[in-house]
Amino acid sequence: MQFFKDRDRLLMIFHAIKAGGVDTLIERYTRAARGDLIRSGIEKLKAGGLGNPIWSAEEDPQMNCPSWLRIRRLETASDREIEGLSAVLRDCVEGGASVGFMLPLTRGKAEAFWRGASASAARGERVVLVAEEQAGAIAGTAQVIWAQFENQPHRADVAKMLVHRRARRQGIGAALLAAAERCALEAGRTLLVLDTASDDAERLYVRQGWQRVGDIPDYALWPAGGFCSTTIFFKELRGTP
């Protein structure tokens, strides 16, 4: 409840600023408290706390999202979001997805991974996207990782694109991929690369215009053991609307 009170107070102040009536509104606060509140609101806006970029069927029909789905970019992840992301990761690994982890994947190990990813996003090294259902539950996620070297300022990797098994075949993967491409293009990246060991994911990438490069045998292990190959894809974003 405190979050909603703070949010409403901040929005009221910013609307008053816009309308030119801020002096009357904030005479109720001390000068120090007023400064702290406004600075806090500005920082939250910069960090996306009051308005992370959101894509949905309602706000952007070109996203082709299910009407109940929202794609949101996380600047930093809350404990609740870490828990939701970890649940998606563990479900995918338990379902046999080769995404860097072996069974059994503990909750602690999954949460440690997402805390590291969140810290990396806060440093500007990557984008973490979440797909949320109407009630706010996280049903999927994807990342865009910026190239590490100065001779690749135009390139990024799409990674850890995951959809919970209960939410698959509803367009979430396509919506996440489209959002990842948009984030990359808005950041000036025109070449994306990814790899996958999933036949379903391969079909999605082909439908979305990605180019298949080829397979690398024995690239990694399945979560339960045994070698699996991976397939490399790329996509050039020049001219993408």
Side-chain angles (χ1 to χ4, degrees):
M1 292 299 296
Q2 185 62 42
F3 168 80
F4 292 107
K5 291 179 182 178
D6 290 344
R7 183 179 185 275
D8 290 342
R9 189 180 298 126
L10 286 167
L11 289 173
M12 183 168 58
I13 288 174
F14 287 127
H15 286 312
I17 292 172
K18 186 176 180 181
V22 66
D23 289 336
T24 301
L25 176 65
I26 59 180
E27 283 175 357
R28 292 175 295 172
Y29 305 102
T30 65
R31 185 175 300 276
R34 177 179 62 192
D36 289 343
L37 186 59
I38 293 175
R39 282 192 296 273
S40 173
I42 291 171
E43 291 304 315
K44 285 184 178 180
L45 286 172
K46 287 180 178 178
L50 295 180
N52 292 356
I54 294 176
W55 298 284
S56 68
E58 179 180 338
E59 289 138 357
D60 187 351
Q62 292 183 349
M63 289 298 296
N64 295 319
C65 294
S67 60
W68 45 265
L69 185 71
R70 299 292 182 270
I71 306 294
R72 185 162 58 90
R73 175 175 176 171
L74 296 182
E75 302 294 345
T76 58
S78 67
D79 289 342
R80 181 190 66 81
E81 290 160 341
I82 292 291
E83 182 178 352
L85 287 164
S86 298
V88 172
L89 175 59
R90 294 180 70 197
D91 175 78
C92 291
V93 172
E94 289 168 3
S98 178
V99 290
F101 297 92
M102 303 296 290
L103 290 172
L105 175 56
T106 65
R107 177 176 175 178
K109 181 179 287 188
E111 289 184 351
F113 168 77
W114 286 113
R115 293 192 189 282
S118 176
S120 178
R123 293 191 297 267
E125 299 167 347
R126 70 183 66 202
V127 169
V128 177
L129 297 167
V130 294
E132 294 178 323
E133 299 169 315
Q134 283 180 324
I138 294 177
T141 181
Q143 296 183 36
V144 184
I145 303 175
W146 311 127
Q148 298 180 10
F149 299 103
E150 63 182 11
N151 69 337
Q152 301 171 41
H154 61 295
R155 191 182 70 77
D157 295 327
V158 174
K160 294 295 184 291
M161 203 174 84
L162 310 167
V163 178
H164 198 287
R165 284 177 289 177
R166 64 172 166 75
R168 291 179 184 173
R169 303 190 184 282
Q170 300 183 65
I172 295 176
L176 280 166
L177 189 59
E181 292 175 9
R182 173 179 292 188
C183 285
L185 196 58
E186 288 175 351
R189 268 58 173 188
T190 56
L191 178 65
L192 294 179
V193 178
L194 61 79
D195 68 270
T196 182
S198 165
D199 291 339
D200 287 342
E202 283 195 40
R203 288 189 284 271
L204 168 63
Y205 300 139
V206 171
R207 288 197 303 270
Q208 298 288 97
W210 287 66
Q211 301 297 309
R212 187 179 187 276
V213 177
D215 297 331
I216 303 176
D218 297 343
Y219 185 80
L221 298 176
W222 295 112
F227 284 108
C228 68
S229 63
T230 196
T231 305
I232 308 297
F233 283 85
F234 77 93
K235 185 172 184 178
E236 292 183 289
L237 301 180
R238 294 182 183 87
T240 300

